[in-house]
Amino acid sequence: MNKRKILGLLYVLLFLSGPLKANAGSDVVIEILEQEIAIQNVTTPQFGSYLLTGNQMTLQAENDLVIEIADKRLNKQAAWQIVYEFQPFEQGNKIPTDVLYQIGAGSLSEKKSAVKVQDYRAIPASFAAEKSAAPILSKGSETRSETLYYEYRVKKEQIKLVVPPDMEMGKYHAKEIILLQNVPNI
């Protein structure tokens, strides 16, 4: 008899609650998280204005290339690298063919302590008239788990722009793209 009463009560509750509705939709939740390793700030080299001399000129950058990185990964076993992509100087639709942009090897240090990092490889790069990219820094894995802040600095004396003698007067623009990439351990 107890079973009949319980079944009866369930039937009444279902009947009083109205018809059952099927719900085909569901809520969508999107969580946007900060990247675990990211470029925080970049200071790119500038060259200023110069008068044409009719001779080849080698111009030195007016400031250092500085790239600041925050590594918040809990597991820092994967190495990372910085790739520098250079899209050549343009004046309107003209691209000078003999311009050479050179970036020397820089140094990597921990930003908070200014301690030089030992486990990295700085790679000098040269970029000519065509669009090109090259790694300029490779950093190996790390055993510490706390957030690390790095600064990669190429001194202005190590950054040169070689301008050919037949360069036309004008304002030239180039595009620099700096990529930070995880490098899987192989």
Side-chain angles (χ1 to χ4, degrees):
M1 186 94 172
N2 266 343
K3 286 184 186 179
R4 283 187 184 182
K5 285 184 181 179
I6 293 174
L7 285 174
L9 283 173
L10 284 175
Y11 179 73
V12 170
L13 287 174
L14 285 174
F15 181 74
L16 291 177
S17 67
L20 294 176
K21 296 179 183 175
N23 189 358
S26 65
D27 292 338
V28 176
V29 177
I30 298 173
E31 184 177 5
I32 299 173
L33 302 173
E34 184 177 2
Q35 293 181 6
E36 293 178 342
I37 183 166
I39 294 174
Q40 298 291 301
N41 190 37
V42 175
T43 304
T44 57
Q46 302 297 313
F47 289 93
S49 298
Y50 293 87
L51 294 174
L52 291 175
T53 63
N55 298 318
Q56 178 175 306
M57 297 187 304
T58 301
L59 311 176
Q60 180 179 309
E62 295 175 342
N63 59 292
D64 297 349
L65 167 65
V66 180
I67 303 170
E68 297 173 2
I69 299 136
D71 188 354
K72 299 176 182 179
R73 299 174 298 167
L74 293 177
N75 182 359
K76 295 178 176 65
Q77 294 303 311
W80 53 268
Q81 70 179 5
I82 294 175
V83 175
Y84 192 95
E85 182 178 319
F86 179 74
Q87 297 179 4
F89 289 94
E90 294 182 9
Q91 179 192 21
N93 292 331
K94 289 183 177 179
I95 297 175
T97 56
D98 295 336
V99 172
L100 182 64
Y101 183 49
Q102 300 171 319
I103 300 175
S107 61
L108 183 67
S109 59
E110 284 190 38
K111 196 171 172 194
K112 287 184 178 181
S113 64
V115 172
K116 296 280 187 220
V117 175
Q118 300 300 317
D119 181 23
Y120 77 96
R121 186 173 64 135
I123 307 158
S126 292
F127 305 94
E130 65 278 348
K131 175 182 170 183
S132 56
I136 59 170
L137 172 70
S138 290
K139 168 72 176 85
S141 63
E142 183 65 54
T143 57
R144 296 176 289 170
S145 62
E146 72 265 16
T147 298
L148 298 173
Y149 295 94
Y150 295 106
E151 179 182 274
Y152 181 65
R153 180 178 295 269
V154 180
K155 296 285 189 184
K156 64 183 181 182
E157 295 81 16
Q158 298 293 320
I159 304 169
K160 308 248 186 285
L161 180 64
V162 180
V163 178
D166 58 348
M167 188 91 156
E168 292 180 20
M169 181 180 71
K171 196 173 214 174
Y172 292 86
H173 300 276
K175 193 179 286 187
E176 302 167 296
I177 299 172
I178 298 170
L179 305 168
L180 176 61
Q181 301 174 332
N182 270 325
V183 179
N185 294 335
I186 298 174

